[in-house]
Amino acid sequence: MKDSLVLLSRILAHPDSRCWFLAWNPAGTLLASCGGDRSVRIWGREGDSWICKSVLCEGHQRTVRKVAWSPCGNYLASASFDATTCIWKKNEDDFECVTTLEGHENEVKSVAWAPSGNLLATCSRDKSVWVWEVDEEDEYECVSVLNSHTQDVKHVVWHPSQELLASASYDDTVKLYREEEDDWVCCATLEGHESTVWSLAFDPSGQRLASCSDDRTVRIWRQYLPGNEQGVACSGSEASWKCVCTLSGFHSRTIYDVAWCQLTGTLATACGDDAIRVFEEDPGSDPQQPTFSMTAHVPQAHSQDVNCVAWNPKERGLLASCSDDGELAFWKYQPSEGI
Amino acid sequence: MASPFSGALQLTDLDDFIAPSQDCIKPMKVDRRPGSGVAKIHIEDDGSYFQVSQDGGMKKLEKAKISLDDCLACSGCVTSAETVLITQQSHEELRKVLGANKTAAPDQQKLVVISVSPQSRASLAVRFQLNPTDTARKLTAFFKKIGAHYVFDTAFSRNFSLLESQWEFVRRFRGQADPEQALPVLTSACPGWICYAEKTHGSTLLPHISTARSPQQVMGSLVKDFFAQQQHLTPDKVYHATVMPCYDKKLEASRPDFFSQEHQTRDVDCVITTGEVFKLLEEEGVSLSELEPAPLDSLCSSASAQEPTSHQGGGSGGYLEHVFRHAAQELFGIHVTEVTYRPLRNKDLQEVILEREGQVLLHFAAAYGFRNIQNLVQKLKRGRCPYHYVEVMACPAGCLNGGGQLKAPDMPGKELLQQVERLYGLVRTEAPEDAPGSRSCMALAAGCRLGAGWPPAAHQLPRCGEGWLWTQYQVVEASRVQPVHCHQHQDS
């Protein structure tokens, strides 16, 4: 089982600093990394190795915590502890900061682009989630300020096909939001985790959401629409979400990130015990009570906390990870036959 | 959770109130003396704190005090204890004063004046299912029953706030104002907005903010100055309480600019919310509908209307509407019969345009709620704001939806708001220039040289410092004090 996740290469991406997050562009050809050194780096493949194609270092005054590519691949957003979010426009190998989104009171923890490309979400230690709209002239306006969480909001992620937004918080909950008339509203609160929820990932269909937490579990939530066959209660016309699986006992420390491969449905986790783990849903598992098995575990994937794992959107089995030790690593995952 | 104070303060499901901030804004002066080294803190039996320096010397430490002004200015403070915020200004405080007045010696008694906002009245009208006139009369009866001497309507002082806003805009547009004051002009009647502006974007926004006083504060001047004089009293012998639709008005009343050093008295001594009036009624065991209506009081004896009056232009005072009409007439000779509002990206953002032969002469907007304020501020910062005048309100849907308005447990927020809007709109409106009593009031109170003309020409108006129509603002620096109960990692 250990052999199914093989190290391809390791790079010191952010020397003397933490590497906080990674994002593959939609084409799978570039990887953006960001770190405590206040920079964003763009990595591209040259033969068998990955080289740094650009360094975006003039955008932020403090740690860059997350980066996200627009669905078209022409823009990159970077969320920083300096309370701003920069929008960079790609021009060949150059990136130019076209605008800076201000408004959050303190550290911006995450940024995510909606599948339509017209909306952006940010979240912050100020407990709020903001939805922004971008127009044809690359002008960004705040569409909604959501104050549903009672603590620091760590992560935001959009549904793969709908305009449904999810957020994870230090208040131990996951919240979902959708548009209603001319504003956004919180349409569901997922309770169950016993500590900070650090990250989220939707499955390829968008019907399930994975969350990972400081309580050392990964939870899988499933959406039930009103009138569903399983008889899961819904409030009015609102969908409800139920926790259908909890992966516990696998991680010995906080789980900082979870990634759900959009090609294969495989799950990967980034853990505070320096390890990377991979899980697959068991064949024939009941959709209402799915079961997952751990199919790979690399105990010393990095020399410190693993902060992020990211599946390449085009190349099966290609996984990138990064750590507090400043390193970025590439892995090849090969599911073993006959499971 | 979104409103500045915890508790059930939201009228509707709208979630766009300015949320509590993270940093305490109390500007703290830290006296740092070089070479003082490390000191120990010793607590005496009586609870006082002494600093024991390395040579054994003891120095009593002053308790850090956070006054109501500082506290409310922050809209979210170190302790987050509501009791800290509200005890000094509340219906209990009003009760205490009324109680003390009953038993006080004649020369210690105060003249108690209560000014009621039309928005609070509309909220009460809906709750008790009364029309606005009956609500006004019964409220007058109630307050007098518990010890008030006069009950006024802030729609009266709003006339002056509107007039001043109209004149101020024309001055600025013509470039006749202080060169520091730029276009667009942003209204300042909303203290929630003003506190946010001063604290967050001070230097960018201050040059734009209207210096006209809000209706509450104009009423404060009228009551403590003009009315007190009429009653042959010094200002400190008048106790002035107002009834407002939100908590931020308490903050506005606490501003140092509205404190008279000479008489050691505030223009407005106490602000109570609509909800607190309801509590007072409950405590007295009185239902507003059952009271016998009393005749309405008026500040100027020449005005003896027995019906309240109001202004056009919505439930937040009508600033955009009045300034627009006046500017169209004064600047371009255009008489506007009906102001057409065009909704923009959401219902809390609207614009009004004056055009002539395809050219835009005036471009005004109304921006309510945090997200619209954000976008407005960002546009201003980038020099991309197309407006000449913006009516800014912190609460989505404006003052009728203020955090202190009454809730109806059995009615959805939207429906309740519609009812309050309807009842508010039932009151007959009047242009400020035509309001009976404003003329004589102005002449008597302002000390300005009016002569025969009405309304006064711009140069005849009292300047800032002459008191009662104008005020000023300042940038507030945050002290970055971290909340004491912060456990979490700062850096992840």
Side-chain angles (χ1 to χ4, degrees):
Chain A
M1 183 181 73
K2 267 190 229 173
D3 293 339
S4 27
L5 189 66
V6 170
L7 178 70
L8 295 174
S9 60
R10 224 185 255 288
I11 304 173
L12 185 57
H14 295 268
D16 299 321
S17 185
R18 289 186 231 239
C19 184
W20 275 117
F21 202 73
L22 301 170
W24 290 101
N25 68 345
T29 54
L30 298 172
L31 182 69
S33 72
C34 62
D37 60 2
R38 307 190 295 272
S39 76
V40 174
R41 282 167 195 262
I42 312 294
W43 306 87
R45 194 136 54 179
E46 211 149 274
D48 278 338
S49 39
W50 291 84
I51 58 148
C52 182
K53 309 207 84 183
S54 326
V55 182
L56 283 45
C57 49
E58 297 291 305
H60 292 291
Q61 330 246 265
R62 284 183 64 190
T63 291
V64 185
R65 184 63 179 85
K66 296 243 165 77
V67 278
W69 293 88
S70 65
C72 65
N74 294 325
Y75 297 88
L76 185 71
S78 58
S80 168
F81 284 177
D82 68 7
T84 71
T85 304
C86 278
I87 309 293
W88 307 84
K89 187 168 182 167
K90 183 179 184 295
N91 186 1
E92 307 270 340
D93 280 349
D94 277 322
F95 284 79
E96 186 201 340
C97 178
V98 293
T99 197
T100 303
L101 306 182
E102 293 175 357
H104 277 297
E105 267 188 76
N106 47 45
E107 294 86 351
V108 187
K109 299 296 179 91
S110 186
V111 59
W113 239 293
S116 64
N118 291 335
L119 296 176
L120 196 68
T122 55
C123 66
S124 162
R125 181 168 69 82
D126 68 11
K127 307 175 199 166
S128 68
V129 171
W130 291 42
V131 181
W132 307 79
E133 193 170 67
V134 53
D135 67 20
E136 312 79 43
E137 283 127 45
D138 282 353
E139 290 290 317
Y140 289 76
E141 284 213 334
C142 171
V143 161
S144 189
V145 175
L146 296 149
N147 290 296
S148 306
H149 280 296
T150 56
Q151 296 289 351
D152 185 357
V153 190
K154 302 291 192 185
H155 196 75
V156 278
V157 69
W158 290 91
H159 187 280
S161 51
Q162 295 167 26
E163 271 176 6
L164 179 69
L165 178 66
S167 64
S169 166
Y170 179 74
D171 69 9
D172 308 350
T173 71
V174 172
K175 285 182 184 273
L176 293 159
Y177 313 86
R178 59 172 178 76
E179 198 173 8
E180 189 175 82
E181 289 181 17
D182 64 1
D183 204 354
W184 283 71
V185 296
C186 174
C187 56
T189 299
L190 312 187
E191 288 168 322
H193 278 298
E194 288 159 18
S195 189
T196 303
V197 187
W198 279 100
S199 193
L200 300 164
F202 278 98
D203 78 350
S205 73
Q207 208 170 19
R208 294 183 302 184
L209 178 65
S211 59
C212 66
S213 164
D214 176 62
D215 69 5
R216 301 180 240 153
T217 69
V218 170
R219 283 174 195 253
I220 311 290
W221 310 81
R222 191 190 175 86
Q223 183 184 46
Y224 289 91
L225 298 171
N228 60 79
E229 283 174 7
Q230 291 75 27
V232 174
C234 292
S235 161
S237 56
E238 212 66 78
S240 65
W241 292 75
K242 205 175 113 185
C243 179
V244 294
C245 175
T246 302
L247 301 175
S248 56
F250 295 100
H251 301 81
S252 62
R253 291 262 164 86
T254 306
I255 313 170
Y256 290 113
D257 197 21
V258 60
W260 213 325
C261 181
Q262 300 295 289
L263 293 173
T264 63
T266 312
L267 277 168
T269 60
C271 187
D273 63 7
D274 311 347
I276 294 173
R277 294 169 178 80
V278 179
F279 298 83
E280 300 259 31
E281 190 169 359
D282 298 329
S285 110
D286 173 5
Q288 319 311 327
Q289 280 181 306
T291 54
F292 288 76
S293 299
M294 186 164 76
T295 55
H297 175 202
V298 182
Q300 284 299 116
H302 288 278
S303 61
Q304 290 182 48
D305 289 4
V306 189
N307 293 321
C308 178
V309 277
W311 292 105
N312 186 293
K314 297 291 185 209
E315 198 179 313
R316 274 167 189 266
L318 178 58
L319 181 74
S321 66
C322 70
S323 162
D324 273 357
D325 63 14
E327 283 191 350
L328 144 61
F330 294 93
W331 309 83
K332 184 75 185 163
Y333 172 70
Q334 229 127 24
S336 39
E337 286 119 43
I339 265 193
Chain B
M1 191 263 136
S3 45
F5 297 86
S6 63
L9 297 181
Q10 272 177 267
L11 185 63
T12 75
D13 305 324
L14 298 169
D15 190 16
D16 196 26
F17 293 83
I18 296 178
S21 75
Q22 303 291 302
D23 297 315
C24 173
I25 57 88
K26 168 110 179 127
M28 293 207 299
K29 261 176 62 182
V30 182
D31 287 332
R32 286 194 199 284
R33 261 167 284 117
S36 40
V38 175
K40 290 206 181 115
I41 307 282
H42 174 77
I43 308 172
E44 293 285 284
D45 289 334
D46 66 358
S48 51
Y49 286 71
F50 281 84
Q51 175 182 293
V52 185
S53 57
Q54 280 173 332
D55 61 5
M58 303 254 287
K59 181 184 156 224
K60 185 161 186 181
L61 294 171
E62 270 192 50
K63 279 196 203 146
K65 273 183 264 195
I66 298 180
S67 71
L68 179 70
D69 311 352
D70 308 318
C71 214
L72 286 178
C74 187
S75 81
C77 80
V78 178
T79 66
S80 294
E82 260 192 289
T83 46
V84 175
L85 305 181
I86 294 172
T87 37
Q88 272 185 41
Q89 275 217 39
S90 66
H91 66 289
E92 274 152 20
E93 178 63 25
L94 177 62
R95 272 208 173 290
K96 256 199 276 179
V97 170
L98 291 171
N101 230 20
K102 269 197 205 126
T103 57
D107 64 334
Q108 290 301 308
Q109 273 181 1
K110 296 206 180 191
L111 184 74
V112 179
V113 174
I114 306 205
S115 302
V116 182
S117 71
Q119 293 89 350
S120 296
R121 186 183 57 223
S123 178
L124 285 158
V126 168
R127 175 50 154 259
F128 291 100
Q129 300 190 321
L130 298 165
N131 67 51
T133 303
D134 283 342
T135 311
R137 292 195 195 158
K138 289 174 190 252
L139 266 175
T140 301
F142 174 65
F143 285 124
K144 291 191 173 177
K145 182 178 193 290
I146 61 173
H149 299 99
Y150 289 91
V151 181
F152 298 131
D153 182 352
T154 62
F156 180 72
S157 55
R158 192 162 66 190
N159 285 312
F160 302 105
S161 188
L162 289 168
L163 283 171
E164 175 53 30
S165 302
Q166 290 172 193
W167 299 328
E168 177 196 31
F169 177 74
V170 165
R171 275 198 305 274
R172 287 213 204 176
F173 192 90
R174 284 183 173 147
Q176 293 166 345
D178 186 338
E180 294 291 297
Q181 293 175 346
L183 290 184
V185 174
L186 308 176
T187 58
S188 57
C190 173
W193 147 240
I194 292 302
C195 288
Y196 175 73
E198 284 180 320
K199 188 183 130 195
T200 316
H201 304 284
S203 42
T204 313
L205 294 178
L206 293 194
H208 296 277
I209 296 186
S210 165
T211 52
R213 283 193 180 205
S214 70
Q216 170 173 268
Q217 296 311 138
V218 171
M219 189 57 108
S221 302
L222 285 172
V223 166
K224 292 279 181 135
D225 203 332
F226 169 64
F227 186 68
Q229 265 185 54
Q230 265 196 348
Q231 303 290 314
H232 309 294
L233 293 168
T234 52
D236 56 309
K237 283 286 193 275
V238 177
Y239 187 82
H240 183 209
T242 62
V243 179
M244 289 288 147
C246 69
Y247 288 86
D248 287 322
K249 281 289 174 184
K250 295 180 190 251
L251 171 60
E252 185 183 80
S254 311
R255 289 174 73 94
D257 309 280
F258 304 133
F259 180 80
S260 160
Q261 288 294 341
E262 189 192 339
H263 299 285
Q264 289 292 300
T265 186
R266 289 195 195 283
D267 289 349
V268 175
D269 295 292
C270 182
V271 178
I272 58 175
T273 63
T274 321
E276 289 177 292
V277 170
F278 190 78
K279 277 209 201 108
L280 276 172
L281 285 161
E282 277 190 326
E283 283 168 13
E284 287 291 310
V286 161
S287 165
L288 199 63
S289 22
E290 285 159 11
L291 283 168
E292 274 299 307
L296 300 179
D297 291 326
S298 133
L299 256 171
C300 282
S301 46
S302 57
S304 53
Q306 278 310 303
E307 245 187 6
T309 56
S310 188
H311 300 102
Q312 286 187 338
S316 304
Y319 290 89
L320 186 158
E321 179 130 349
H322 287 78
V323 175
F324 185 77
R325 282 177 193 279
H326 178 79
Q329 186 67 64
E330 265 302 297
L331 297 167
F332 305 105
I334 297 174
H335 174 68
V336 175
T337 40
E338 194 173 323
V339 178
T340 312
Y341 293 83
R342 219 190 83 200
L344 299 175
R345 64 165 54 245
N346 57 67
K347 55 175 145 18
D348 280 323
L349 186 67
Q350 302 183 85
E351 68 179 11
V352 173
I353 298 180
L354 183 74
E355 257 179 328
R356 182 162 61 192
E357 290 153 14
Q359 206 201 353
V360 170
L361 302 173
L362 291 174
H363 195 178
F364 283 24
Y368 296 3
F370 190 57
R371 58 189 169 157
N372 292 316
I373 290 176
Q374 276 300 303
N375 290 328
L376 172 69
V377 171
Q378 288 304 316
K379 282 203 171 77
L380 259 165
K381 279 188 159 179
R382 285 154 215 246
R384 309 188 67 156
C385 181
Y387 309 117
H388 298 110
Y389 188 87
V390 186
E391 178 178 304
V392 185
M393 298 292 153
C395 297
C399 304
L400 291 172
N401 190 32
Q405 294 283 64
L406 299 179
K407 268 171 227 352
D410 52 341
M411 209 192 297
K414 265 190 210 145
E415 201 189 312
L416 178 61
L417 179 61
Q418 272 169 7
Q419 290 207 20
V420 176
E421 284 171 346
R422 193 182 66 88
L423 274 180
Y424 181 88
L426 279 183
V427 179
R428 188 174 64 85
T429 63
E430 212 166 41
E433 292 88 342
D434 301 334
S438 17
R439 227 175 270 219
S440 41
C441 235
M442 259 315 247
L444 291 167
C448 66
R449 300 151 298 285
L450 270 187
W454 177 268
H459 68 271
Q460 293 172 315
L461 295 167
R463 310 304 302 179
C464 186
E466 270 179 40
W468 66 285
L469 284 179
W470 301 56
T471 185
Q472 59 193 355
Y473 308 94
Q474 43 275 319
V475 176
V476 175
E477 298 290 336
S479 74
R480 306 284 157 209
V481 172
Q482 291 298 332
V484 289
H485 51 267
C486 177
H487 304 303
Q488 59 175 313
H489 306 290
Q490 289 303 308
D491 246 8
S492 50

